[in-house]
């Protein structure tokens, strides 16, 4: 299973915000540059993470992005579940639908595998993702995407 680019960008966003220093206000453009992500993709991720209550985005002078306490405590499994398409991993209902779908056991096996994947991520918090050495790598990122 491969995460969508949107989920990947969203996870990188919360990881970078998790290591922000007290009072450090990063803009969407700053984080997009640091993480080598197009601004438009990052803006969509910021909007979705804000809707989920994981990121606080303030506009205007003195504004910026901040990871909320809920975002810091959130499990990676919960975030991925919310962002990934819950549909079938195989093309059971594609057009035309698979002729085996009524009697196929693959659909159930794939669903169970996806659930096991999510469960394995449920015990991983955003905060735990950014412990050393990841913390240092994230804090060294600069707005132009290079490291210090």
């Amino acid at each position: 299973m491969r995460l969508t680019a949107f989920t990947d960008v969203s996870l990188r966003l919360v990881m970078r915000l998790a290591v922000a220093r007290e009072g450090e206000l990063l803009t969407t453009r700053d984080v997009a540059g640091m993480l080598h992500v197009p601004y438009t993709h990052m803006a969509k991720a910021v909007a979705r993470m804000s809707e989920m209550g994981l990121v606080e985005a303030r506009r205007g002078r003195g504004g910026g992005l901040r990871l909320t306490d809920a975002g810091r405590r959130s499990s990676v499994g919960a975030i991925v579940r919310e962002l990934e398409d819950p549909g079938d991993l195989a093309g059971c209902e594609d057009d035309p639908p698979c002729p085996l779908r009524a009697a196929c056991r693959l659909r159930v096996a794939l669903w169970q595998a996806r659930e096991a994947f999510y469960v394995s991520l449920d015990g991983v918090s955003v905060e735990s993702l950014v412990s050393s050495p990841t913390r240092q790598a994230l804090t060294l990122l600069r707005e132009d995407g290079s490291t210090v």
Side-chain angles (χ1 to χ4, degrees):
M1 185 173 148
R2 182 177 173 101
L3 297 178
T4 62
F6 183 73
T7 300
D8 177 44
V9 167
S10 298
L11 290 171
R12 287 194 264 163
L13 166 66
V14 296
M15 288 173 67
R16 179 53 184 95
L17 294 179
V19 300
R21 294 179 308 277
E22 185 69 33
E24 180 182 21
L25 294 173
L26 298 170
T27 66
T28 302
R29 194 164 304 283
D30 294 339
V31 179
M34 289 174 178
L35 298 173
H36 302 275
V37 174
Y39 171 78
T40 55
H41 295 350
M42 186 58 72
K44 289 176 186 175
V46 167
R48 185 69 174 107
M49 294 293 95
S50 293
E51 287 173 12
M52 291 171 61
L54 305 180
V55 170
E56 179 184 344
R58 293 184 182 172
R59 293 184 169 198
R61 189 173 185 94
L65 305 175
R66 185 183 74 79
L67 189 65
T68 64
D69 289 336
R72 196 170 301 285
R73 291 187 316 269
S74 187
S75 81
V76 175
I79 295 170
V80 173
R81 265 189 198 88
E82 185 71 24
L83 299 178
E84 288 292 310
D85 180 10
D88 287 328
L89 291 176
C92 304
E93 300 299 331
D94 287 355
D95 188 24
C98 176
L100 302 175
R101 72 185 183 284
C104 183
R105 298 173 73 166
L106 178 61
R107 178 188 253 177
V108 172
L110 290 173
W111 180 84
Q112 289 172 337
R114 179 174 41 204
E115 284 307 304
F117 173 73
Y118 291 150
V119 167
S120 72
L121 293 174
D122 284 339
V124 180
S125 69
V126 169
E127 186 65 32
S128 71
L129 282 180
V130 297
S131 60
S132 293
T134 306
R135 177 173 296 278
Q136 287 80 1
L138 287 164
T139 57
L140 291 176
L141 295 176
R142 295 182 357 181
E143 293 170 27
D144 64 1
S146 64
T147 57
V148 176

